[in-house]
């Protein structure tokens, strides 16, 4: 099933016949009656898991079952920020593993992920922010992850459009910068992993919703879907916002609640912003896409919801924040806004774990930080499924932490923005 | 964005209210006898349903009183509003 490689030569070859004869990037097979592993959810996490199961563990009899289209959930709805500057050792471990994988992923998958390490700038606006920022920069460096402190003058030189006036309502008094952080093209992540997993024999089945999970005793044996029953040795959930819904199919209650998270883009403008700006205090994060749009996001809605809709008052708050930071955008018009459903754990850290139900695994609770973790989470999840026990990197993110009390409290550490 | 009918103040914009999470989670009556699993269930485990959800709201910018709401988490339609301690008015319908 080896695929023709994408390259400058394949581009030229296909230009000759007006790009009408590109081969399909992956098959659309009918589901087989049985698989060793069925992964529920065809977003970045599910597809990455399938890819690493085949590549690292030699398990290729795998199906990825997606109720809509690939990457149509949170993979296609986030603001594409990638970074690994987390406070706690456990988080640093898994997010740095992820960032290291990102750094070689375009080449490995032979798919242009447009991964751009343009730096992620996190702003401090008051003395408390500043002390917290220093603590975080030092903790991150102790974990061997790059992190620099920038003074207001250095911030102005690094990102001139920021309003660094001391007379601003929320003056910028310092910032941390992770230069290896940046953005990637979200769709390409799903497509790149899909193509590479398909090449290794993984079946990707779209427009097929899992409606139930069958059990024999305490062991899962298969999934009911809108395209019939499929037997499965192991079942792994990778469904972002719907983790509680899938877990309820095996009678599990999880420490997870689902909330809408909004994002929006402005009309395109000439290049003005060549980094990612984050501010937890005025609460917005923004980068500029290759099309010139400013891509902005903020926090989750307080109430739980499964409606992928945005609401005006959240947009107003976000706009107030962005104009505070970058006054020159005050007359920009907004083009599109949307929302995704993120599932949040009480400690704002994910669950990447085996469960009390044999053969059933959970990857969820990533809250607002799932995109950046796609490669690392997929890599760890594949290990967990193949060996039936977690890798040391995701051992701290087990379900048991809510019973033992060993929570990984990233609320204060990551602030609210991801 | 939706309207919530406060039992004391009438219909008001969602932005006037604070959200209090899932309703009807009773504080353990015998906390000294609880196992770690039971504590975890009380503190952290939530139903998080896709559909009807009974939840607590507080009219933060009005009467500042707590009450319960049954809201659909997909359509955001509010099916019932009832005071703390009251039986959900939709209980009878659900059983019928």
């Amino acid at each position: 099933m080896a695929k023709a490689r994408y390259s400058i030569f394949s581009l030229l070859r296909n230009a000759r016949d007006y790009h009408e004869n590109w081969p399909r990037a992956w098959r659309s097979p009918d589901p087989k009656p049985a698989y060793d592993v069925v992964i529920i959810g065809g977003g970045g996490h599910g597809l990455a898991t399938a890819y690493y199961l085949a590549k690292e563990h030699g398990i290729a009899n795998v199906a990825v079952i997606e109720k809509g289209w690939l990457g149509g959930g949170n993979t296609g709805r986030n603001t594409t920020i990638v970074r690994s500057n987390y406070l706690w050792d456990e988080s640093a471990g898994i997010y740095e593993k992820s960032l290291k994988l990102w750094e070689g992923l375009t080449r490995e998958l032979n798919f242009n992920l447009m991964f751009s390490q343009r730096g992620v700038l996190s702003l401090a606006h008051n003395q408390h922010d500043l002390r917290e920022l220093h603590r975080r920069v030092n903790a991150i460096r102790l974990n061997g992850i790059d992190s620099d402190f920038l003074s207001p003058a250095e911030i102005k030189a690094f990102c001139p459009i920021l309003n660094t006036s001391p007379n601003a309502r929320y003056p910028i008094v310092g910032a941390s910068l992770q230069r290896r952080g940046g953005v990637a093209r979200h769709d390409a992540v799903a497509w790149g992993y899909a193509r590479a997993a398909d090449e290794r024999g993984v079946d990707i089945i779209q427009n097929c919703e899992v409606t139930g999970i069958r059990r024999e005793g305490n062991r899962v044996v298969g999934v009911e879907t809108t395209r019939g029953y499929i037997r499965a040795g192991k079942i792994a959930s990778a469904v972002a916002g719907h983790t509680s819904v899938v877990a309820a199919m095996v009678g599990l209650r999880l420490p997870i609640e689902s909330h809408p998270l909004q994002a929006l883009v402005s009309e395109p403008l000439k290049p003005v912003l060549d980094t990612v700006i984050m501010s937890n205090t005025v609460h917005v994060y923004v980068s500029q896409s290759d099309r010139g749009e400013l891509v902005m996001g903020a926090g989750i809605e307080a109430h739980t919801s499964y409606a992928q809709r945005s609401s005006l008052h959240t947009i107003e708050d976000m706009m107030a924040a962005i104009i505070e930071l970058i006054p020159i955008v005050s007359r920009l018009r907004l083009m599109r806004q949307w929302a995704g459903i993120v599932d949040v754990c009480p400690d704002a850290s994910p669950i990447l774990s085996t469960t009390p139900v044999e053969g059933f695994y959970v990857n969820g609770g990533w809250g607002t930080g799932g995109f950046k973790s796609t490669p690392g989470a997929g890599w760890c999840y594949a290990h967990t499924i193949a060996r039936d026990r977690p890798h040391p990197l995701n051992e701290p993110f087990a379900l048991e932490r809510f019973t033992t009390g060993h929570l990984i409290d990233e609320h204060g550490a990551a602030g609210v923005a991801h | 964005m939706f309207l919530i009918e406060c039992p004391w103040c009438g219909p008001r914009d969602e932005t006037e209210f604070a959200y209090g999470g899932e309703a009807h989670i009773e504080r353990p009556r015998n906390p000294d006898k609880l196992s770690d699993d039971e504590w975890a269930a009380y503190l952290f485990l939530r139903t998080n349903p896709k559909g009807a959800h009974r939840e607590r709201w507080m009219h933060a910018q009005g009467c500042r009183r707590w009450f319960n709401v049954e809201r659909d988490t997909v359509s955001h339609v509010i099916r019932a509003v009832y005071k703390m301690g009251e039986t959900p008015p939709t209980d009878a319908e659900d059983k019928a």
Side-chain angles (χ1 to χ4, degrees):
Chain A
M1 259 176 284
K3 294 187 195 301
R5 289 183 64 76
Y6 291 148
S7 68
I8 181 71
F9 304 109
S10 70
L11 199 60
L12 291 173
R13 253 195 324 275
N14 282 281
R16 229 176 24 205
D17 39 16
Y18 302 98
H19 298 290
E20 284 175 353
N21 294 315
W22 282 101
R24 282 183 181 276
W26 55 83
R27 301 162 293 131
S28 288
D30 287 324
K32 289 193 276 188
Y35 290 93
D36 293 340
V37 179
V38 164
I39 296 168
I40 308 173
H45 280 241
L47 293 162
T49 306
Y51 169 72
Y52 290 116
L53 270 174
K55 180 185 171 228
E56 306 279 345
H57 306 280
I59 303 172
N61 187 21
V62 175
V64 177
I65 298 183
E66 165 57 46
K67 73 173 171 182
W69 63 94
L70 294 191
N74 289 354
T75 299
R77 291 167 190 270
N78 62 82
T79 49
T80 76
I81 298 168
V82 175
R83 62 186 182 89
S84 66
N85 52 350
Y86 279 74
L87 175 65
W88 300 114
D89 296 349
E90 297 86 350
S91 314
I94 196 163
Y95 285 107
E96 179 62 11
K97 169 72 188 173
S98 205
L99 183 51
K100 290 229 169 78
L101 287 170
W102 274 113
E103 286 173 331
L105 206 54
T106 287
R107 188 172 291 266
E108 181 180 339
L109 299 180
N110 180 227
F111 204 102
N112 188 0
L113 305 182
M114 298 165 80
F115 180 51
S116 160
Q117 292 180 292
R118 56 183 68 182
V120 174
L121 194 67
S122 303
L123 304 176
H125 296 273
N126 51 50
Q127 284 307 310
H128 172 78
D129 279 3
L130 204 56
R131 283 191 206 110
E132 178 64 28
L133 204 73
H134 277 297
R135 176 194 179 208
R136 228 197 301 173
V137 166
N138 289 329
I140 292 161
R141 291 171 77 130
L142 280 174
N143 275 321
I145 297 169
D146 74 304
S147 188
D148 292 321
F149 179 80
L150 265 55
S151 68
E154 289 167 325
I155 295 167
K156 191 70 182 170
F158 185 74
C159 184
I161 61 166
L162 274 174
N163 176 17
T164 50
S165 161
N167 299 324
R169 183 170 178 198
Y170 299 103
I172 296 168
V173 295
S176 73
L177 173 63
Q178 183 177 26
R179 295 180 200 272
R180 287 164 60 238
V183 291
R185 178 158 184 231
H186 45 18
D187 294 329
V189 179
W191 299 336
Y193 271 123
R195 179 167 175 268
D198 179 83
E199 186 172 7
R200 289 172 184 272
V202 171
D203 280 0
I204 296 167
I205 300 157
Q206 299 181 72
N207 295 312
C208 177
E209 183 171 356
V210 170
T211 53
I213 295 175
R214 265 193 222 173
R215 276 196 293 176
E216 275 172 18
N218 192 37
R219 184 163 189 90
V220 295
V221 292
V223 289
E224 310 277 359
T225 76
T226 47
R227 293 180 65 181
Y229 177 67
I230 303 170
R231 278 183 287 134
K234 294 175 175 179
I235 299 171
S237 166
V239 294
H242 282 66
T243 309
S244 297
V245 176
V246 171
M249 292 176 187
V250 292
L252 272 183
R253 257 167 88 86
L254 293 178
I256 281 179
E257 288 188 303
S258 299
H259 298 264
L261 175 68
Q262 293 189 58
L264 43 83
V265 296
S266 73
E267 60 188 328
L269 63 165
K270 288 185 177 178
V272 291
L273 180 61
D274 61 355
T275 186
V276 180
I277 303 169
M278 302 180 57
S279 165
N280 290 341
T281 300
V282 304
H283 206 177
V284 72
Y285 36 95
V286 55
S287 64
Q288 188 170 19
S289 74
D290 293 322
R291 285 182 294 205
E293 306 151 335
L294 292 184
V295 184
M296 294 170 269
I300 58 172
E301 308 264 333
H303 60 77
T304 63
S305 173
Y306 286 90
Q308 290 173 322
R309 287 199 303 260
S310 49
S311 60
L312 187 64
H313 61 96
T314 308
I315 293 174
E316 282 181 322
D317 290 345
M318 217 191 293
M319 291 307 96
I322 195 75
I323 291 167
E324 168 70 20
L325 294 179
I326 311 175
I328 61 162
V329 304
S330 66
R331 290 165 75 183
L332 270 187
R333 278 169 294 199
L334 300 179
M335 293 254 289
R336 300 186 301 281
Q337 88 283 341
W338 65 91
I341 301 305
V342 298
D343 47 3
V344 182
C345 286
D347 58 355
S349 285
I351 298 169
L352 196 54
S353 179
T354 57
T355 68
V357 180
E358 272 178 70
F360 182 73
Y361 306 86
V362 168
N363 169 9
W366 288 91
T368 57
F371 177 72
K372 70 175 80 68
S373 68
T374 303
W379 192 88
C380 289
Y381 201 30
H383 186 281
T384 308
I385 296 163
R387 311 274 176 91
D388 207 28
R389 64 186 148 79
H391 186 272
L393 280 176
N394 65 308
E395 210 168 4
F397 298 99
L399 257 180
E400 289 82 37
R401 75 176 187 270
F402 296 96
T403 310
T404 61
H406 289 143
L407 303 182
I408 304 159
D409 185 8
E410 282 294 351
H411 269 299
V416 271
H418 276 269
Chain B
M1 207 173 199
F2 40 85
L3 280 180
I4 299 174
E5 175 124 10
C6 170
W8 289 279
C9 311
R12 298 294 181 90
D13 194 287
E14 172 205 337
T15 53
E16 290 189 15
F17 296 85
Y19 185 63
E22 187 172 340
H24 307 298
I25 295 176
E26 198 182 340
R27 189 175 169 79
R29 287 168 189 272
N30 48 352
D32 49 331
K33 295 198 177 61
L34 247 49
S35 68
D36 287 354
D37 282 333
E38 288 166 323
W39 270 120
Y42 165 68
L43 286 171
F44 300 127
L45 301 191
R46 296 294 179 263
T47 314
N48 195 24
K50 186 175 187 175
H53 187 223
R54 287 168 181 167
E55 56 195 20
R56 301 174 304 175
W57 286 84
M58 195 261 278
H59 196 183
Q61 292 173 35
C63 60
R64 300 188 52 78
R65 283 199 266 194
W66 286 95
F67 55 94
N68 292 318
V69 169
E70 183 176 327
R71 181 178 58 98
D72 187 296
T73 57
V74 180
S75 66
H76 292 178
V77 168
I78 292 176
R79 195 164 154 222
V81 176
Y82 54 102
K83 292 178 183 168
M84 286 291 167
E86 287 181 358
T87 314
T90 47
D91 254 8
E93 284 172 49
D94 289 347
K95 278 177 194 142

